[in-house]
Amino acid sequence: MTQSNETRVVDARFVAGAVDTASLPPPTLLEVAFAGRSNVGKSSLLNAMMERRSLARTSNTPGCTRQLNVFEVRCADGLCVSFVDLPGYGWARRSKTERGDWQGMIEGYLRRRTGLRAVVVLVDVRRGVEEEERQLVEFVGQPREVSGARPLEVMLVATKIDKMGAAGRKPALEKVTRGAKGVGGPVIGFSAVTAEGREELWSRIRGAVL
Ligand code: GTP
Ligand code: MG
């Protein structure tokens, strides 16, 4: 199958890693952020989306991504978009203060980042939507502190779909969808290993930034 120019990435680069929102680079492109529990597969999904093996650092150890990592991507048809890999939440070994800092930073980013258009919320297909994701989605739905900004779009992705056997896939995705009721749009099943779901997610992202 020949890949369309709309999902073929011709350039992907790491722009900056910011420890707080003040050190983020100026928002020159429309932006999409990727959020989810530690170890859910955010950085792996980003690499699959960007067609780069290890541009975003991944790890077996939860808590690998500890800052806001900004990437710029250009597709073969000319579309340019900025992707932000957010540090994961729900990592028990972090101290309460660290978790508080995380929340403050992420909330400030989601509320005030100019150019941010959509938030991709990742859940492990075997785990589904839990309280943290519900809270995150609710937060994302609230009015923003960017004058004239439209509400952020939320996209829900169920990761590591390759870990399910053929028979278990459909019921697992249906379960995530049921748990995601009222949490915006259809759930996209994704695998960073097989790139399943990549085209569909790109199509949703393009819809949000065009
Ligand atoms: P933090 O940066 O700690 O928040 O984690 P993260 O959400 O960025 O997860 P990361 O991409 O580092 O992946 C965590 C682990 O899951 C790694 O060992 C990956 O290889 C594995 N993984 C990620 N996505 C997939 C997938 O689609 N399928 C399979 N089988 N493994 C995956
Ligand atoms: Mg990561």
Side-chain angles (χ1 to χ4, degrees), residues 36-45 57-66 85-89 94 122 159-163 190-194:
R37 206 174 275 288
S38 278
N39 215 42
V40 71
K42 297 174 293 298
S43 303
S44 303
L45 173 139
R57 271 193 53 215
T58 64
S59 162
N60 270 321
T61 317
C64 174
T65 310
R66 317 260 326 222
D85 189 4
L86 298 173
Y89 51 79
R94 264 186 210 170
L122 286 74
T159 62
K160 308 192 186 182
I161 188 96
D162 58 282
K163 290 206 174 190
F190 196 96
S191 166
V193 176
T194 66

Side-chain angles (χ1 to χ4, degrees), residues 177-189:
T177 303
R178 279 197 302 279
K181 231 173 168 184
V183 173
V187 177
I188 302 174

Side-chain angles (χ1 to χ4, degrees), residues 1-204:
M1 191 180 78
T2 39
Q3 201 181 354
S4 81
N5 281 347
E6 295 181 356
T7 61
R8 190 156 56 85
V9 171
V10 291
D11 191 28
R13 64 184 69 187
F14 172 72
V15 179
V19 289
D20 52 34
T21 49
S23 26
L24 279 166
T28 47
L29 296 174
L30 292 179
E31 197 156 279
V32 177
F34 296 78
R37 206 174 275 288
S38 278
N39 215 42
V40 71
K42 297 174 293 298
S43 303
S44 303
L45 173 139
L46 274 165
N47 285 331
M49 293 301 285
M50 299 189 290
E51 296 182 309
R52 294 294 183 274
R53 195 182 290 273
S54 52
L55 193 56
R57 271 193 53 215
T58 64
S59 162
N60 270 321
T61 317
C64 174
T65 310
R66 317 260 326 222
Q67 43 186 19
L68 299 146
N69 286 322
V70 184
F71 301 89
E72 282 180 8
V73 187
R74 184 158 54 89
C75 293
D77 72 337
L79 177 99
C80 292
V81 61
S82 163
F83 284 165
V84 176
D85 189 4
L86 298 173
Y89 51 79
W91 187 39
R93 272 167 60 204
R94 264 186 210 170
S95 71
K96 225 176 172 171
T97 326
E98 267 188 301
R99 286 204 293 269
D101 289 350
W102 181 92
Q103 198 165 358
M105 175 167 81
I106 302 301
E107 290 184 357
Y109 166 79
L110 295 172
R111 274 267 140 85
R112 292 186 283 276
R113 177 68 165 168
T114 308
L116 180 63
R117 280 294 163 80
V119 181
V120 179
V121 177
L122 286 74
V123 296
D124 188 310
V125 69
R126 300 160 299 179
R127 206 164 163 161
V129 176
E130 295 173 287
E131 192 49 33
E132 281 92 340
E133 286 78 32
R134 284 197 193 91
Q135 284 174 12
L136 177 63
V137 171
E138 193 197 321
F139 184 86
V140 167
Q142 289 169 7
R144 304 190 66 217
E145 292 170 27
V146 176
S147 87
R150 49 173 121 158
L152 294 172
E153 192 172 324
V154 179
M155 299 167 200
L156 206 61
V157 168
T159 62
K160 308 192 186 182
I161 188 96
D162 58 282
K163 290 206 174 190
M164 304 295 303
R169 238 165 231 236
K170 201 165 163 241
L173 267 179
E174 280 167 3
K175 191 166 168 227
V176 178
T177 303
R178 279 197 302 279
K181 231 173 168 184
V183 173
V187 177
I188 302 174
F190 196 96
S191 166
V193 176
T194 66
E196 179 174 338
R198 181 180 182 273
E199 299 282 309
E200 193 182 348
L201 182 55
W202 257 117
S203 152
R204 293 277 304 277

